[in-house]
Amino acid sequence: MRNRNILLLSAAAIIAGAIGTAAVGQNAGPFTQAQVTAGSVGYAANCAQCHNPDLSGTNDAPQLAGSAFMGAWKGRTTQALYSKISKTMPAGRGGSLDEATYTAITAYVLHANGAVAGTTAFTPAATANIGAVASGKVPEDVLHPPVLTAFQRAAAGIRVPDPGSFGLPAKFGLTLEGNIQNYVPVTEAMMTNPPDGDWLMYRRNYQGWSYSPLKEITTDNVKSLSLKWMWSMPENGTMEITPIVHNGILFIWGTGNTIQALNAKTGELLWENRLGPAPRRAGPGPSTEETRSMGLWGNNVYVNTPFGMVYALDARTGKEVWKNNIVDYKPGIGGSTGGLIIIKGRVLVGMTNCGRPKTDDHCYISAYDAATGKRDWKFVTVALTGQPGGNSWGKLPDNERKGGETWIAGTYDPELNTTYWGTAQAKPWRRDLRGSGDGATDYANSTVALDPETGKLKWAFQHAPGESLDLDEVFERVLIDHGDQKTLMTIGKAGILWKLDRQTGKFLDAKETVFQNIWEGIDRKTGTPRYRKDIVNQKVDQWLSSCPGPEGGHDWQSTSYHQPSDTLIIPLSQSCVFMLGNGSQTYFEMPGSDGNLGRLSAYRTADMKPLWSFQQRAPFLTGVVSTAGNVAFIGDFDRTFRAVDTRTGKTLWKTRLGTTVQGYPVSFSVDGKQYIAVTTALGGGSPELKPGTMLTEVHRPPNGYNLFVFGLPDDK
């Protein structure tokens, strides 16, 4: 204990030295220097993973220092700030820290915004006006936090990844070598026309349908489904994975970048490679610590990791074939969570946690030779000076044009030899902080159509020009033919279902699926939306309502195209938000929802006609998979996994699992028998965190990362 105290004092001394003392002539804040020092340690241990070490914020975590924070908080009190932090932080574990830690973290946030320490210790009852004690000028020690040794970080309680932590074994690497015999290499022909019993990629086919042609499970016999086997996954972090199945082998990704091959019929482990690193803390992690899918090609399985690496592993043994860092500027900054797609022997990967303010990088889509890992090309997802759409950023210099993440894998049309990707919003996502005025900020919140062999842009369509409310349009692009017309359909957080001509990018139609109040209308010729005036003229200290809110009318929980009936089945969410700048959000139920946060709706794609809708209190936290047996499967926040009739939405079967049913269910067959696989996990980003503030009646365990496989009774 004495040695730990010495290390803790050492860490505190380094931080205190970096922070320094109050500036002469500045009014003192209602906190002490000792609280700031302790708060820097508490912040690093509990907050920095989501809000970044310099308090600059990331996807679901707002900026906590600088103009954005001050715009939202300068007219409010330190008591309100303490209340917000102590009730809601850390994410998913609000109220879990002691009062001394919360008061210290509050003091550190005030210090990070230019407030200087005084002689009176901060208490939860302190009611100083934040604008009176803080200037918004971020001090140097916050912009460049001191670097502590691993021992000092551990002594201070700051998470230090350790191979033996959180239930992971002490060894990383190939922990079980496989010896899979008679493995059938995956070919271009298989990718273009997948075998009925396989699930070779994210959403099963190049067109992104999430539809299985298997029909052993029907509306009549689905009620007889039972659990065939389950497999426990590594705990902690976030998991939203798609199981990949080929030749009777199921490949799965787990936290800590644990890649496993299982016998798809029995659940027997065939090989395991723990690529690492370990999760950075116990419990659910931020949405930047997951991957949504893997890919197969030849004799390899390919995986992109949240920390910016892409690997090829031998699908028969689990041995590493090659690896490459997809991030140009600095390993470990920027990553890839959306999965990947393999086209003509190239591995195409998007990025997340890239293109941030105060960095010189941009987000991009990149392609790698499937055999060697060598990069073939990259496409930067913001339009730079002199490029088509470059003037849409106004006069912003290129190094200030940020955002455009691609955290959902693209789709592909083999006939047109074109791959289609969605991009996220520009950063900062508020236009009054971005500096681009009313510009469209191409190619953010767009569909981009690329040549998969060169990365050259064929066309782009901007769904939300100048987006300003954290409403991404990054999600799945579904490719559907209507006679001779080749269309692309997609839906984003605003809840608008879009239909484009995928040869030209021309706008064809749009359908409002949930209540929205952000747009006053959409030009029916061009597809250009018109924002409310108060959104266009926003001020950082102004409350704005947004329906839907950042949970999204539709988010990463993907749609399914039931091809036999031309039906697109869409998981929707019904929550709204009052936003103060980008720092404070108060959620409320969407008007007309009757308290139902989750909705599952079906639309005929030929004419966008709504067919049926099913609502429930808990939001859905999986994608949808539909089958030729006219059954669709989906799971929810409140642990229920259910089957519905694709023609009516009627629930045909359901079961309760251990924790939130989360990820992307799939259907596959082995020896002529059809199975349904789904995962349970936590994390999940906005779709899980935002509703959690309203669903206080739902109680879930803090663990339970599992894979479940269901099937019909065996013949007797």
Side-chain angles (χ1 to χ4, degrees):
M1 177 62 73
R2 180 177 179 275
N3 289 339
R4 183 187 185 281
N5 289 339
I6 292 172
L7 287 169
L8 182 58
L9 289 171
S10 175
I14 292 175
I15 295 169
I19 290 173
T21 58
V24 177
Q26 186 170 346
N27 294 332
F31 56 86
T32 65
Q33 189 66 45
Q35 286 181 308
V36 173
T37 302
S40 65
V41 174
Y43 177 87
N46 299 285
C47 315
Q49 183 181 9
C50 296
H51 293 272
N52 284 334
D54 63 357
L55 287 74
S56 60
T58 184
N59 290 345
D60 298 313
Q63 182 178 334
L64 296 181
S67 59
F69 175 86
M70 290 300 294
W73 285 92
K74 66 182 179 183
R76 307 175 75 184
T77 67
T78 55
Q79 184 182 52
L81 179 62
Y82 173 86
S83 177
K84 179 73 173 180
I85 293 172
S86 63
K87 289 180 178 179
T88 63
M89 295 291 115
R93 297 185 291 122
S96 62
L97 308 179
D98 58 54
E99 182 178 299
T101 302
Y102 279 124
T103 54
I105 290 173
T106 305
Y108 183 66
V109 171
L110 292 170
H111 162 78
N113 284 279
V116 296
T119 57
T120 303
F122 181 80
T123 70
T127 58
N129 181 279
I130 291 175
V133 298
S135 64
K137 184 178 180 181
V138 184
E140 189 65 22
D141 66 276
V142 175
L143 290 173
H144 304 288
V147 177
L148 305 180
T149 68
F151 291 108
Q152 290 166 334
R153 289 172 60 84
I158 302 171
R159 173 77 184 97
V160 180
D162 172 20
S165 300
F166 308 151
L168 293 174
K171 178 184 177 184
F172 274 91
L174 188 64
T175 56
L176 175 64
E177 183 175 344
N179 184 27
I180 297 173
Q181 301 293 316
N182 303 316
Y183 182 84
V184 178
V186 174
T187 64
E188 178 81 21
M190 288 183 192
M191 302 286 280
T192 304
N193 296 291
D196 287 356
D198 282 1
W199 198 282
L200 298 179
M201 68 184 83
Y202 183 51
R203 300 174 53 72
R204 190 176 181 276
N205 64 357
Y206 274 144
Q207 292 75 25
W209 288 358
S210 193
Y211 164 76
S212 169
L214 298 175
K215 53 186 177 183
E216 180 193 8
I217 298 172
T218 68
T219 55
D220 292 329
N221 63 23
V222 67
K223 60 181 177 292
S224 299
L225 278 186
S226 62
L227 180 66
K228 295 303 177 182
W229 58 269
M230 66 171 288
W231 178 255
S232 293
M233 306 288 291
E235 297 284 343
N236 303 293
T238 292
M239 191 171 75
E240 300 166 9
I241 190 61
T242 307
I244 299 296
V245 186
H246 173 54
N247 212 161
I249 302 160
L250 186 149
F251 301 93
I252 192 81
W253 177 97
T255 57
N257 295 304
T258 301
I259 315 303
Q260 296 166 325
L262 303 166
N263 182 310
K265 184 176 181 178
T266 66
E268 178 187 358
L269 181 65
L270 302 177
W271 59 254
E272 176 183 82
N273 195 329
R274 294 182 177 268
L275 303 174
R280 289 183 285 180
R281 70 175 187 189
S287 57
T288 53
E289 288 196 355
E290 79 234 88
T291 195
R292 294 177 175 86
S293 185
M294 300 178 291
L296 300 174
W297 182 265
N299 288 319
N300 292 341
V301 56
Y302 298 86
V303 58
N304 57 307
T305 76
F307 299 97
M309 301 296 294
V310 59
Y311 289 83
L313 305 178
D314 190 311
R316 300 160 297 185
T317 66
K319 289 183 177 180
E320 183 181 306
V321 178
W322 58 256
K323 66 179 178 181
N324 199 353
N325 181 19
I326 71 170
V327 182
D328 289 339
Y329 40 94
K330 185 178 179 182
I333 296 180
S336 181
T337 66
L340 45 79
I341 185 171
I342 302 169
I343 302 172
K344 292 188 172 182
R346 293 178 178 83
V347 182
L348 276 62
V349 187
M351 292 182 70
T352 191
N353 199 30
C354 52
R356 298 298 184 197
K358 298 185 293 186
T359 65
D360 291 330
D361 67 288
H362 291 107
C363 297
Y364 50 81
I365 301 163
S366 50
Y368 302 83
D369 186 296
T372 67
K374 181 181 178 181
R375 182 185 290 174
D376 281 344
W377 54 259
K378 76 174 184 179
F379 171 78
V380 174
T381 53
V382 297
L384 304 178
T385 303
Q387 294 180 345
N391 58 359
S392 66
W393 288 82
K395 297 181 179 179
L396 275 181
D398 286 350
N399 66 354
E400 294 182 24
R401 302 181 182 198
K402 301 298 184 180
E405 294 162 295
T406 46
W407 49 276
I408 297 291
T411 48
Y412 173 59
D413 182 336
E415 292 184 9
L416 297 177
N417 194 31
T418 304
T419 181
Y420 305 90
W421 293 69
T423 61
Q425 72 281 81
K427 300 293 191 305
W429 49 258
R430 283 185 62 105
R431 64 172 69 198
D432 58 350
L433 297 173
R434 196 161 53 232
S436 57
D438 295 337
T441 60
D442 290 345
Y443 311 107
N445 265 350
S446 298
T447 297
V448 294
L450 306 177
D451 184 321
E453 298 179 65
T454 65
K456 182 179 179 181
L457 178 69
K458 292 188 174 184
W459 57 259
F461 178 85
Q462 170 70 268
H463 297 274
E467 199 282 319
S468 196
L469 297 168
D470 195 19
L471 299 177
D472 307 46
E473 295 283 344
V474 71
F475 308 107
E476 67 275 10
R477 268 57 186 165
V478 185
L479 312 184
I480 304 168
D481 291 344
H482 296 104
D484 294 334
Q485 187 174 57
K486 295 178 175 294
T487 66
L488 176 149
M489 301 192 72
T490 187
I491 179 171
K493 283 190 178 183
I496 304 297
L497 178 61
W498 301 90
K499 182 189 286 188
L500 307 178
D501 184 308
R502 71 174 183 268
Q503 296 186 81
T504 65
K506 179 183 178 182
F507 169 77
L508 298 176
D509 203 356
K511 182 74 174 181
E512 187 174 303
T513 64
V514 296
F515 174 80
Q516 69 86 18
N517 68 359
I518 59 171
W519 290 329
E520 294 179 345
I522 296 176
D523 187 301
R524 303 308 299 183
K525 291 184 178 180
T526 65
T528 303
R530 185 176 67 256
Y531 283 93
R532 289 189 343 240
K533 289 184 179 179
D534 60 336
I535 295 174
V536 174
N537 300 322
Q538 66 192 223
K539 297 177 177 59
V540 74
D541 59 351
Q542 172 189 12
W543 284 96
L544 290 173
S545 69
S546 174
C547 284
E551 178 194 356
H554 177 72
D555 208 287
W556 59 260
Q557 309 96 300
S558 61
T559 61
S560 177
Y561 176 58
H562 186 252
Q563 191 270 339
S565 61
D566 187 37
T567 302
L568 192 65
I569 305 172
I570 311 173
L572 299 167
S573 295
Q574 301 182 126
S575 68
C576 302
V577 68
F578 285 114
M579 288 181 168
L580 179 61
N582 72 345
S584 186
Q585 299 179 4
T586 301
Y587 272 77
F588 59 97
E589 296 154 356
M590 185 173 283
S593 67
D594 196 28
N596 291 300
L597 300 178
R599 199 173 109 201
L600 187 66
S601 295
Y603 293 82
R604 188 165 59 211
T605 72
D607 56 10
M608 311 282 268
K609 179 183 177 181
L611 300 177
W612 53 260
S613 192
F614 164 67
Q615 297 186 103
Q616 63 174 35
R617 174 64 172 160
F620 296 103
L621 261 292
T622 72
V624 182
V625 57
S626 64
T627 71
N630 294 323
V631 182
F633 295 87
I634 191 167
D636 68 32
F637 184 96
D638 198 18
R639 305 190 288 126
T640 297
F641 185 51
R642 74 178 65 233
V644 303
D645 191 317
T646 60
R647 299 162 295 190
T648 65
K650 178 183 177 182
T651 296
L652 304 172
W653 168 89
K654 62 181 179 181
T655 187
R656 204 91 182 274
L657 301 179
T659 192
T660 291
V661 192
Q662 181 168 293
Y664 299 87
V666 304
S667 183
F668 63 91
S669 67
V670 183
D671 296 334
K673 185 175 180 64
Q674 183 180 359
Y675 298 91
I676 305 295
V678 70
T679 53
T680 55
L682 298 171
S686 292
E688 187 183 61
L689 293 173
K690 309 298 188 184
T693 64
M694 293 178 281
L695 288 169
T696 55
E697 74 273 24
V698 174
H699 305 288
R700 305 168 299 159
N703 56 349
Y705 291 49
N706 294 299
L707 169 69
F708 296 87
V709 176
F710 297 91
L712 295 173
D714 296 326
D715 294 333
K716 295 183 180 179

